[in-house]
Amino acid sequence: MTSKVDNPYVGPWHVDCRLSAQLPSDDLIRGRFIVNAVAATLATGVVIFTLWLLYLSGTLRSEIGYWQNQIAGHRRQYAELNLATRKLEIKVARLDAAYNLMGAHYRASDLIVSFGRSRLPRMSITSLNGFAGGVVVRGQMLEPSGPAAQTLRRYVADLRKDPVIGPLFSTIALVSLDREENADVMTFEIACKLKEGPAP
């Protein structure tokens, strides 16, 4: 038996017909696997993101429905709260007006006495209303319209010269004069504006 060293032909026993270019790669990780892995990862991420958006949308719809039910259930309480707020604002405005009147530069009792003292014989004073800027005097004059208008103009002029009433107000004016039907009665309104605003 001859040794392999002495044998000049050591090739394979058949002709190698393989096309080496078409053989699969011997790489441990192939490029197609990497591309497939990246595509699968992206597809999984898209699916997870879509499911998360659907979950958020459902949660948001349920929360909106819950709060709409809460609003509908508390609509009456909300209306009552608005009504109570408006009433409170009205009361606060009255308190502010009372505070401003308390800070006025005159005593209401002295002013009432002074207007009562200055009242004419055929005149009746029905109300004396104070506000932050002054006083409004309302009353009736038991005279026909012509003489009543002249009498009231003289009365306003006398109020401006009055030693107690005159110095308190910067303006004393007859702002309204109306005749009542079927009677010789004239209703009047005299506005008296303070010289200075109310004390803080």
Side-chain angles (χ1 to χ4, degrees):
M1 186 171 183
T2 61
S3 65
K4 291 184 179 181
V5 178
D6 297 334
N7 190 355
Y9 181 73
V10 291
W13 64 273
H14 61 82
V15 178
D16 187 4
C17 297
R18 294 179 300 171
L19 300 175
S20 58
Q22 294 180 0
L23 290 175
S25 173
D26 293 336
D27 296 339
L28 185 62
I29 299 176
R30 298 183 182 138
R32 182 175 293 176
F33 174 78
I34 294 174
V35 171
N36 291 338
V38 171
T41 304
L42 291 177
T44 304
V46 169
V47 170
I48 292 173
F49 182 70
T50 304
L51 292 175
W52 176 250
L53 288 181
L54 290 175
Y55 170 75
L56 287 181
S57 176
T59 304
L60 186 60
R61 278 197 299 269
S62 64
E63 288 183 358
I64 289 173
Y66 170 76
W67 287 113
Q68 284 178 344
N69 291 335
Q70 291 293 321
I71 291 172
H74 295 86
R75 196 178 305 273
R76 187 173 59 83
Q77 290 89 341
Y78 180 72
E80 291 175 356
L81 178 63
N82 284 338
L83 180 62
T85 303
R86 284 194 294 270
K87 289 181 179 178
L88 182 62
E89 288 174 354
I90 292 172
K91 291 180 180 179
V92 168
R94 289 178 182 171
L95 287 175
D96 290 341
Y99 175 78
N100 291 332
L101 286 175
M102 289 174 59
H105 298 289
Y106 62 86
R107 289 185 184 175
S109 58
D110 294 343
L111 197 63
I112 291 171
V113 170
S114 298
F115 274 107
R117 177 184 44 80
S118 66
R119 184 182 63 85
L120 298 176
R122 298 179 61 86
M123 175 189 292
S124 64
I125 296 176
T126 56
S127 66
L128 184 65
N129 297 327
F131 60 96
V135 175
V136 175
V137 181
R138 294 182 180 88
Q140 294 178 338
M141 195 72 188
L142 303 177
E143 287 183 359
S145 58
Q150 295 177 359
T151 303
L152 285 170
R153 288 192 188 95
R154 285 195 302 270
Y155 175 70
V156 169
D158 292 340
L159 287 178
R160 293 180 186 135
K161 297 174 185 176
D162 189 277
V164 177
I165 298 174
L168 290 175
F169 303 103
S170 61
T171 304
I172 301 176
L174 180 66
V175 295
S176 175
L177 184 61
D178 294 319
R179 185 175 68 85
E180 293 187 1
E181 294 183 1
N182 302 324
D184 286 336
V185 177
M186 300 292 292
T187 60
F188 65 88
E189 185 174 313
I190 300 172
C192 307
K193 184 179 178 182
L194 289 170
K195 285 185 177 179
E196 299 178 359

